[in-house]
Amino acid sequence: MVRTFARVAGIIYLLVGLVGFIPGLLSPPTGPDLAVDAFHGRLLGLFPVNLVHNLVHLAIGLWGLSAARSLGASVGFARGLAVLYALLGVMGLIPGLNTMFGLAPIHGNDVWLHFGTALIAAYFGWGVARTDRVRT
């Protein structure tokens, strides 16, 4: 199950990263100004993104697909994703940090999405990973 999570998460992040480059799916941006304003907007009118944000999604997608090749790497991906996204969720609540120092927006609806992703990844990284290791 952990390998499937890594594969599915990888595909989702790759798709979201690519979709962030389609101008027709971006609404005008809201929130603080960014140093990197290329592709800055609200994806599907809900989630703030920009060029850096999209590139990070693509990198996480590639990481997930690569990690899906083995159980150990998949567990590492799930645990790393959980920690990273919990940190991003907290940063999104703090003015000044909610733009990653002006590089990428992580505020608004991204906050609950990051916390939700962290919880799901933690479930697969620490919960399901134990049962997967016992079965194999």
Side-chain angles (χ1 to χ4, degrees):
M1 280 185 67
V2 182
R3 290 179 68 195
T4 301
F5 166 74
R7 185 175 297 106
V8 170
I11 291 168
I12 290 170
Y13 275 97
L14 277 177
L15 290 175
V16 169
L18 291 172
V19 168
F21 289 112
I22 301 173
L25 298 178
L26 299 175
S27 301
T30 58
D33 290 332
L34 299 174
V36 179
D37 62 357
F39 294 100
H40 187 203
R42 289 178 294 129
L43 183 60
L44 305 175
L46 296 171
F47 303 101
V49 296
N50 73 342
L51 173 67
V52 174
H53 204 131
N54 295 336
L55 292 175
V56 169
H57 283 158
L58 291 173
I60 289 171
L62 292 173
W63 179 26
L65 290 177
S66 175
R69 294 186 205 165
S70 76
L71 179 59
S74 296
V75 170
F77 169 75
R79 290 178 179 178
L81 195 67
V83 171
L84 174 65
Y85 271 70
L87 178 63
L88 290 174
V90 170
M91 287 176 65
L93 296 172
I94 302 169
L97 295 180
N98 66 359
T99 62
M100 291 182 62
F101 310 102
L103 297 176
I106 54 172
H107 52 79
N109 287 325
D110 269 357
V111 173
W112 65 262
L113 187 61
H114 288 159
F115 281 130
T117 300
L119 287 173
I120 293 167
Y123 170 75
F124 283 97
W126 282 282
V128 172
R130 277 191 214 154
T131 59
D132 273 3
R133 287 179 196 238
V134 170
R135 281 188 228 154
T136 58

